[in-house]
């Protein structure tokens, strides 16, 4: 599959100048690589290398091909990348198809080539059909019409066709391979159809293969409700490449592009001609993270709104990560969106994608809406479903958490620093606690205190970075194993650098600043769902209770409690997720492979923790 590539810019001034210079190139590049998600039951996104799908399984290499046919007639469309000066395989054409028509269209000069074994059937230099305009010839019983290499009507370069005419319904009698030769690099759309198939007698509707046909407005798409994948993709220098369509009906779409060189994600709603993400003209065009309410539920149900989260065109803000960008679309898309990528040099990138992350909990909510069930049973069911969504993630070692936290808790206003959770102090990454570097160092704070369940720093609950945060060494010590609640005296023990003047503590409780109260609550609720005592929890069961002074230490091994439930629920509601939380959640999804559902859906807290 093809790969993405781009240029590294080391200073912002150069980046902006380079972008302005490239606008001229971008204007003419509106028709490029389009990956139709709905083609041939493919995943959400794929590389730009399509193939014919005629419903058989041997592509013409089996003389008894008709025994394997399951599709009598159909059509399809796919995209193919074309490299300058090269012939690329478009696909195999099997025996038995009747009235096959293939159309190739590109904004570059591209020639169809057709071969049967070593014989060049269509080729402008030495093919049996080689004219610049329309011609028809018979080869071994097959009547083949070619548009000519000057295109339709002899005047439309890059717009060619080949037809297999078969009024007697004998079916194609030879196997063929179709190629496309590019006089310039570009992309071609291949559209094809056939009306019947030799030996195919079924009239069942399932024998109609039009899975490769793009869905029209208002039509149901045939994609799976959830899935994931990755591919490698290339981009020419100073080019805009369309990575793929995100079709209407998809939910919770995540796409991450990662390259060693600079890339910019672009996202468009072409139906209404809106640039959603574009560094110059988009609704979203910041260099760092931003979140946009794009589709608002007409019934004012926030749970049904569609939000778009974007890393920003500087990726993770460090110069070596300008090529690390992502989008996350929360909710169900009512319209198809188109994802593109702008590159500043030719190179490679990996595209990782997923969709339908929360489909199981959504489906369960719909299924139980009309079914009488006790509140306690319903809450337990939802807990179990959410647990099954977020468990089985990648587990880090405790030492690996140092590096992970330098990504997830980075101070984006100063990428050389990390941001402490409670104090909000920006601390150099290099000043992590090694036991000898003083009170101003930072260390790893277990928001669910590790002594509440006695899980220590073992893989799993002890290293889950959803609830492991950067903290000032002194503040971490002061918080200790206390429950979360309001009230107490201020923490202000270190001068001239204050510990956490907005934090308060009592003998049994700790109150963080307002700025992070919601984040703390959602981390606690995450841990209670994630670690429920099953095999994936490594024997750890965590429960949020409505009390303070909860037990801790070795006596709680495997069964930890923490409070205070009513306070944490109030914080979740009063202090909604911040951009910092949303961004962190997406970074952890890349690292661990799971999300904190209460950041994406804070409204679920009251439903699951009554």
């Amino acid at each position: 599959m093809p790969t993405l590539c781009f240029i590294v810019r080391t200073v912002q001034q150069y980046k902006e100048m380079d972008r302005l210079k490239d606008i001229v190139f971008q204007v003419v590049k509106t028709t490029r690589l389009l990956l139709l998600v709905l083609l041939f039951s493919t995943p959400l996104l794929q590389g730009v290398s399509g193939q014919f799908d005629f419903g058989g399984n041997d592509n013409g290499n089996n003389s008894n091909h008709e025994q394997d046919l399951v599709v009598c007639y159909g059509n399809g469309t796919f995209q193919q990348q074309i490299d300058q000066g090269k012939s690329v395989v478009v696909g195999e054409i099997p025996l038995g198809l009747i009235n096959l028509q293939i159309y190739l269209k590109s904004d570059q000069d591209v020639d169809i080539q057709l071969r049967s074994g070593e014989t060049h059937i269509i080729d402008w230099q030495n093919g049996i059909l080689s004219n610049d305009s329309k011609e028809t010839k018979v080869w071994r019983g097959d009547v083949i019409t070619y548009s000519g290499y000057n295109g339709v009507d002899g005047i439309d370069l890059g717009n060619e066709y080949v037809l297999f005419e078969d009024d007697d319904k004998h079916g194609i009698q030879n196997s063929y391979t179709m190629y496309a030769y590019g006089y310039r690099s570009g992309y071609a759309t291949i559209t094809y159809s056939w009306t019947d198939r030799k030996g195919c007698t079924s009239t069942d509707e399932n024998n109609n293969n039009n899975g490769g046909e793009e869905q029209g407005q208002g039509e149901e798409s045939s994609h799976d409700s959830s899935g994931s994948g990755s591919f490698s993709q290339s981009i020419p220098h100073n080019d805009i490449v369309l990575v793929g369509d995100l079709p209407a009906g998809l939910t919770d779409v995540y796409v991450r592009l990662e390259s060693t060189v600079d890339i910019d994600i672009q996202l468009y709603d072409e139906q209404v001609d809106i640039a959603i993400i574009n560094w110059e003209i988009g609704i979203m065009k910041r260099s760092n993270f931003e979140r946009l309410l794009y589709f608002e539920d007409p019934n004012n149900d926030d749970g049904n709104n569609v939000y778009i989260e974007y890393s920003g065109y500087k990726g993770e803000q460090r110069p070596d990560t300008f090529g690390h960008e992502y989008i996350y679309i929360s909710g169900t898309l009512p319209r198809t969106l188109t994802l593109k990528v702008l590159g500043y040099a030719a190179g490679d990138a990996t595209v990782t994608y997923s969709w339908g992350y929360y489909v199981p909990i959504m489906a369960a909510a719909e299924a139980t809406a009309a079914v009488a069930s006790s509140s306690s049973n319903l809450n337990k069911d939802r807990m179990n479903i959410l647990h099954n969504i977020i468990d089985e993630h990648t587990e880090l070692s405790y030492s690996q958490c140092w590096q992970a936290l330098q990504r997830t808790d980075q101070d984006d206003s100063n990428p050389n620093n990390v941001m402490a959770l409670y104090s909000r102090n920006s601390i150099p990454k290099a000043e992590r606690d090694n036991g000898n570097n003083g009170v101003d160092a930072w260390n790893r704070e277990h928001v669910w205190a590790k002594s509440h369940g006695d899980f220590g720093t073992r893989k799993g609950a002890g290293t889950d970075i959803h609830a492991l945060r950067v903290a000032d060494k002194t503040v971490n010590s002061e918080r200790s194993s206390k429950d979360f609640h309001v009230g107490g005296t201020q923490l202000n023990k270190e001068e001239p650098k204050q510990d956490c003047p907005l934090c308060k503590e009592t003998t049994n409780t700790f109150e963080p600043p307002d700025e992070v109260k919601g984040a703390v609550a959602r981390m606690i609720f995450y841990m209670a769902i994630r670690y429920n005592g099953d095999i994936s929890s490594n024997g750890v069961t965590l429960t949020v209770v409505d009390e303070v002074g909860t037990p801790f230490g070795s006596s709680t091994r495997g069964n930890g409690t923490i409070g205070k439930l009513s306070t944490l629920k109030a914080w979740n509601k009063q202090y909604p997720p911040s951009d910092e939380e949303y961004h962190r959640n997406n970074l952890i999804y890349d690292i661990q492979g799971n999300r904190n559902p209460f950041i994406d859906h804070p409204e679920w807290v009251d439903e699951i923790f009554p």
Side-chain angles (χ1 to χ4, degrees):
M1 289 186 176
T3 49
L4 290 179
C5 301
F6 318 86
I7 202 170
V8 174
R9 297 190 292 273
T10 57
V11 296
Q12 181 64 21
Q13 182 180 12
Y14 173 71
K15 183 168 187 171
E16 297 299 328
M17 291 176 65
D18 194 55
R19 291 176 180 221
L20 290 171
K21 181 179 66 177
D22 290 336
I23 291 174
V24 175
F25 294 96
Q26 298 175 35
V27 172
V28 296
K29 303 204 179 281
T30 57
T31 306
R32 283 290 185 263
L33 166 61
L34 176 57
L35 297 176
L36 299 176
V37 178
L38 308 178
L39 299 187
F40 322 139
S41 299
T42 55
L44 172 63
L45 296 172
Q46 61 179 6
V48 195
S49 180
Q51 287 287 314
F52 296 122
D53 179 12
F54 296 113
N57 60 11
D58 64 6
N59 291 322
N61 296 320
N62 183 350
S63 61
N64 295 317
H65 179 74
E66 55 266 27
Q67 297 177 5
D68 299 318
L69 299 179
V70 293
V71 178
C72 295
Y73 59 95
N75 55 69
T77 306
F78 60 90
Q79 251 65 31
Q80 176 69 54
Q81 181 173 343
I82 312 293
D83 295 328
Q84 183 174 354
K86 295 182 179 180
S87 294
V88 298
V89 175
V90 174
E92 305 291 334
I93 299 172
L95 303 171
L97 299 179
I98 296 174
N99 291 324
L100 174 64
Q101 301 182 0
I102 303 173
Y103 294 86
L104 179 150
K105 186 173 180 59
S106 174
D107 60 354
Q108 303 295 341
D109 186 2
V110 177
D111 279 358
I112 286 177
Q113 295 179 342
L114 189 70
R115 301 174 194 170
S116 182
E118 297 299 318
T119 303
H120 290 238
I121 310 300
I122 297 176
D123 189 314
W124 77 273
Q125 288 183 310
N126 55 6
I128 296 172
L129 292 94
S130 58
N131 283 354
D132 60 357
S133 57
K134 180 180 176 180
E135 61 177 327
T136 301
K137 289 189 177 181
V138 179
W139 187 76
R140 292 186 178 178
D142 290 330
V143 182
I144 305 172
T145 297
Y146 172 50
S147 62
Y149 60 76
N150 278 342
V152 175
D153 298 326
I155 58 172
D156 194 358
L157 296 178
N159 186 7
E160 300 187 7
Y161 62 79
V162 56
L163 311 176
F164 290 81
E165 302 179 42
D166 193 2
D167 294 336
D168 295 328
K169 296 190 176 182
H170 292 304
I172 292 177
Q173 299 179 45
N174 306 277
S175 298
Y176 299 92
T177 302
M178 178 173 164
Y179 298 80
Y181 180 87
Y183 291 92
R184 292 189 61 186
S185 295
Y187 305 92
T189 298
I190 293 89
T191 304
Y192 61 97
S193 66
W194 70 105
T195 62
D196 204 348
R197 194 165 208 155
K198 184 178 180 181
C200 197
T201 58
S202 172
T203 58
D204 191 309
E205 289 183 1
N206 290 331
N207 285 311
N208 176 17
N209 176 24
N210 60 3
E213 189 171 18
E214 188 172 8
Q215 296 288 329
Q217 280 299 317
E219 295 180 358
E220 290 290 331
S221 59
S222 60
H223 55 74
D224 293 334
S225 60
S226 63
S228 62
S230 65
F231 61 89
S232 190
Q233 184 170 328
S234 64
I235 266 190
H237 178 228
N238 286 326
D239 206 349
I240 298 175
V241 172
L242 282 82
V243 177
D245 267 359
L246 310 178
L250 289 184
T251 64
D252 305 324
V253 179
Y254 172 85
V255 185
R256 178 179 176 85
L257 287 90
E258 190 163 319
S259 175
T260 57
V261 291
D262 195 4
I263 63 172
D264 284 350
I265 283 177
Q266 298 182 349
L267 187 66
Y268 296 89
D269 188 337
E270 296 185 336
Q271 180 182 335
V272 291
D273 197 25
I274 291 177
I276 303 171
I277 299 175
N278 182 300
W279 79 272
E280 184 187 29
I281 61 173
I283 302 172
M284 306 175 78
K285 54 185 177 182
R286 283 167 41 178
S287 63
N288 57 353
F289 177 87
E290 61 182 316
R291 186 171 188 258
L292 171 72
L293 171 59
Y294 193 65
F295 295 110
E296 188 167 8
D297 180 67
N299 298 318
N300 296 318
D301 183 351
D302 187 64
N304 292 328
N305 291 337
V306 176
Y307 292 87
I308 299 175
E309 300 170 16
Y310 172 48
S311 61
Y313 64 73
K314 280 190 176 181
E316 295 182 26
Q317 307 304 307
R318 304 180 302 279
D320 63 335
T321 62
F322 285 172
H324 297 186
E325 296 189 11
Y326 67 80
I327 61 169
Y328 176 64
I329 304 175
S330 175
T332 301
L333 284 174
R335 291 199 299 268
T336 294
L337 302 182
T338 300
L339 180 66
K340 305 179 183 180
V341 175
L342 170 63
Y344 291 85
D348 298 330
T350 299
V351 182
T352 306
Y353 58 91
S354 66
W355 74 100
Y357 189 76
Y358 294 116
V359 162
I361 191 70
M362 299 296 192
E366 293 178 2
T368 57
V371 177
S373 176
S374 69
S375 176
S376 60
N377 287 339
L378 200 57
N379 295 334
K380 185 176 181 180
D381 289 344
R382 289 176 177 174
M383 283 185 175
N384 289 336
I385 293 169
L386 264 189
H387 168 80
N388 291 335
I389 292 173
I390 67 177
D391 73 346
E392 300 296 342
H393 57 80
T394 298
E395 294 183 342
L396 306 180
S397 68
Y398 199 47
S399 61
Q400 288 174 322
C401 292
W402 284 118
Q403 194 64 35
L405 290 177
Q406 291 181 59
R407 282 184 66 190
T408 62
D409 291 29
Q410 176 179 278
D411 178 2
D412 282 345
S413 64
N414 183 354
N416 293 318
N417 288 12
V418 288
M419 180 67 72
L421 173 64
Y422 302 127
S423 69
R424 313 310 289 156
N425 287 328
S426 181
I427 307 171
K429 291 178 178 178
E431 292 185 14
R432 75 184 197 190
D433 184 15
N434 60 14
N436 299 307
N437 55 351
V439 296
D440 290 342
W442 64 274
N443 60 15
R444 297 160 291 187
E445 154 74 341
H446 290 85
V447 178
W448 187 297
K450 58 183 181 289
S451 58
H452 287 249
D454 195 35
F455 48 77
T457 59
R458 297 187 298 275
K459 280 187 175 183
T463 64
D464 194 322
I465 53 177
H466 274 296
L468 193 66
R469 297 297 300 264
V470 167
D472 301 77
K473 180 179 179 179
T474 52
V475 179
N476 192 346
S477 178
E478 289 296 325
R479 187 263 158 142
S480 186
S481 300
K482 296 168 183 170
D483 295 302
F484 291 105
H485 193 38
V486 296
T489 58
Q490 289 183 328
L491 261 66
N492 187 12
K493 297 183 177 180
E494 183 189 351
E495 297 293 351
K497 180 179 177 181
Q498 297 176 331
D499 277 4
C500 184
L502 297 179
C503 297
K504 296 179 182 179
E505 64 176 342
T506 68
T507 302
N508 295 319
T509 66
F510 182 83
E511 180 183 356
D514 291 350
E515 183 179 349
V516 297
K517 283 177 176 173
V520 166
R522 286 178 282 275
M523 286 186 274
I524 293 295
F525 291 128
Y526 163 86
M527 292 291 282
I529 293 295
R530 170 61 187 87
Y531 299 96
N532 68 354
D534 71 352
I535 294 176
S536 74
S537 303
N538 298 320
V540 176
T541 302
L542 303 179
T543 308
V544 190
V545 296
D546 200 28
E547 58 186 75
V548 297
T550 55
F552 58 90
S554 59
S555 64
T556 68
R557 173 160 292 190
N559 288 284
T561 59
I562 205 166
K564 185 177 183 183
L565 175 62
S566 57
T567 299
L568 292 167
K569 287 179 64 178
W571 288 353
N572 172 66
K573 186 172 292 186
Q574 187 174 356
Y575 304 102
S578 63
D579 282 357
E580 178 184 330
E581 278 185 86
Y582 289 123
H583 182 48
R584 191 174 192 273
N585 201 21
N586 286 306
L587 293 179
I588 294 176
Y589 188 44
D590 178 53
I591 297 169
Q592 285 194 175
N594 71 339
R595 306 182 66 85
N596 182 337
F598 302 115
I599 295 174
D600 294 324
H601 293 278
E603 71 276 9
W604 289 351
V605 168
D606 286 343
E607 297 176 9
I608 294 176
F609 298 92

